[in-house]
Amino acid sequence: MTKDVIALTTQMPDPLSVLAGLLAGGPDKQVQSAGEGALVQLCDEQGRPLVSAEAPLLVQVPGEAARLLGVREPELPYWWTEARASTGVAEAEQLAAGYVSRIASLVGGAVWPPEAARSLDVVDTEGVQVGSELAGSSVDVLTDKTAVVIQDRPVVPMTAWLSTAVGAAAAAGIGLQIVTPSGARLTPAVRAALDGWPSRWVVRDEECGYYDGLSGAVLAWQGGLFQPVPGEDGATPVPEVFKNVTDTGERQLTLQFRTVHPADDRLVLGGALESVCQALRCAPPAGWGTAEPVNLPWSLRGLTDLAHERSPEPTLLYAVGDSLFASLRVNRTKAGVEEDITVIAGYGADERPPLDRLPALAETLATRHRLQSLLVQIRKARRDLAVPPHFEAPAVPAGFALGADEVRAMPGDRARRTPLAEAPVELGPKTRPALYYPLPGDPSDLTAWTAFEKLMRHLKGA
């Protein structure tokens, strides 16, 4: 049974239903709060947590239960109540399942995974002890080199507790390694968090053991972390299960761009992201949030207010739509307020990525949202954007743009001269244009990177 269990309920779990859930271990079970009241924990006799239950989350965005859990979407809005059991303690898993089952039974709803729905009888945990001081924390194994998190979900999302683990590992200067079974996938948010050694996705396969879900390298636990195992020839072997890939015709279009705004109390953020979503999906994002599941309806004012409250500290937000995922990082710098945005949109075999709209989209970003730079990439990958534990072809550049200020800052006419076959497209006023540089945009043509690198060297004056 998975350590994570979730109740999806039509009504908010009230104090009485939460109390009934907490009594799943009997009336003498120790209870404590953590995370400034955001967590309630059921503990063993030594006060170490067996189960950590998060505060119920009101989900007002369609598609999140289907995207992250693969279940039928409840009627909006609904409440998402998640509990995490301590690793390797069967009674803790039973206790977590009993907690959410009681809540779902009392307020009306379902339990995920379905097999976790169980009898509402009290779970006997007398004498059960948690063997690790890490019990109830967001990590399962902690060394001086890495924090290991074990997950058994169909899709591993950037939950609030996992986001905390990512931040804590970064602050400690160690890696984060997520261990999953071979059938699991990652969301783009989790994939982005695993960039950089020694962080990695560790896939547990019954036939070939452990391997890296992103690079395919065979792994073993040594020296306090999962590391590649060299073969007899010195090269790191890659299992066949990682290399066995079929081109389904699905594609992903990724836009990475930055906007820079003067610091002003009247500034409204998120407009550039909204414009991109309108161009790619003919609709604004469905919702936004600081973790997954994304739970708030799309609101420029809401995300602006949050970023303003957190300033001058940076703010990382996520947004979702129809086969669309975006991350938005807001930073206060000497230049003003910067938005670093990545938007990924998926397309099926019978759909065509809208490459012909890119110059017009770049012009919108340049003239309305103070674009600094834009890179567009395309690759062969899943329409649903989930990251699978097998090889995915690298993305290739499909377009690049420079904002008007960046074009103007270059000496002479360097920005207008180009080593590419096609001349750049001028965007906006002719007296102060931005520029868009078309690139091949063929996901099978890896030489597109050669053209892009040549363009970058030219623009830098190298």
Side-chain angles (χ1 to χ4, degrees), residues 91-438:
E91 291 84 356
E93 297 177 7
Q94 296 169 14
L95 190 58
Y99 172 77
V100 299
S101 294
R102 288 183 171 212
I103 289 177
S105 175
L106 287 172
V107 300
V111 173
W112 179 91
E115 60 269 23
R118 58 175 55 250
S119 166
L120 303 183
D121 294 341
V122 172
V123 178
D124 183 10
T125 58
E126 184 178 356
V128 173
Q129 296 185 15
V130 181
S132 170
E133 294 296 335
L134 293 171
S137 73
S138 55
V139 302
D140 297 291
V141 178
L142 182 64
T143 72
D144 60 349
K145 297 178 181 177
T146 189
V148 178
V149 173
I150 301 173
Q151 285 282 267
D152 188 6
R153 303 169 73 137
V155 178
V156 180
M158 184 58 75
T159 56
W161 67 261
L162 183 55
S163 178
T164 300
V166 170
I174 61 176
L176 179 76
Q177 300 190 335
I178 298 178
V179 181
T180 74
S182 57
R185 290 162 284 147
L186 308 182
T187 66
V190 177
R191 167 65 183 87
L194 296 180
D195 275 340
W197 183 89
S199 295
R200 65 174 74 245
W201 177 18
V202 182
V203 178
R204 184 180 64 252
D205 187 88
E206 293 183 359
E207 295 184 4
C208 64
Y210 294 97
Y211 69 92
D212 190 302
L214 302 177
S215 71
V218 172
L219 304 172
W221 181 262
Q222 49 190 1
L225 74 169
F226 283 98
Q227 299 191 65
V229 178
E232 295 181 358
D233 59 354
T236 301
V238 175
E240 289 299 319
V241 67
F242 181 80
K243 297 183 285 187
N244 188 16
V245 181
T246 302
D247 184 5
T248 62
E250 295 172 288
R251 299 290 184 264
Q252 287 180 11
L253 192 64
T254 301
L255 284 76
Q256 296 173 285
F257 57 100
R258 173 178 291 178
T259 64
V260 183
H261 311 274
D264 190 309
D265 289 340
R266 296 170 296 177
L267 174 64
V268 176
L269 300 170
L273 171 56
E274 184 173 272
S275 293
V276 170
C277 294
Q278 288 281 4
L280 299 181
R281 287 288 183 252
C282 300
W288 72 283
T290 57
E292 296 177 289
V294 172
N295 68 310
L296 299 171
W298 179 248
S299 168
L300 296 178
R301 176 50 60 188
L303 65 89
T304 299
D305 289 345
L306 178 63
H308 182 74
E309 290 172 8
R310 294 185 174 184
S311 182
E313 295 299 315
T315 297
L316 177 61
L317 308 170
Y318 303 112
V320 295
D322 175 23
S323 291
L324 183 143
F325 186 88
S327 63
L328 185 156
R329 182 179 293 275
V330 181
N331 282 293
R332 179 68 183 270
T333 68
K334 293 180 179 179
V337 180
E338 297 183 359
E339 294 178 289
D340 285 297
I341 303 171
T342 299
V343 180
I344 309 173
Y347 298 88
D350 58 345
E351 299 174 298
R352 184 178 178 182
L355 299 179
D356 55 334
R357 301 181 201 165
L358 296 179
L361 175 56
E363 183 165 33
T364 298
L365 294 175
T367 56
R368 299 182 185 177
H369 303 291
R370 302 184 67 90
L371 176 71
Q372 185 180 75
S373 63
L374 163 71
L375 173 62
V376 183
Q377 300 176 73
I378 189 170
R379 67 173 183 151
K380 301 176 182 179
R382 299 169 60 108
R383 186 187 192 278
D384 66 5
L385 310 184
V387 182
H390 60 66
F391 174 78
E392 286 192 317
V396 300
F400 180 74
L402 279 177
D405 289 344
E406 285 62 42
V407 171
R408 192 173 187 179
M410 289 190 180
D413 61 347
R414 181 190 299 167
R416 291 177 176 79
R417 290 185 288 110
T418 174
L420 304 179
E422 294 186 57
V425 179
E426 291 196 359
L427 312 172
K430 292 188 176 299
T431 56
R432 195 172 174 275
L435 295 176
Y436 178 79
Y437 302 86

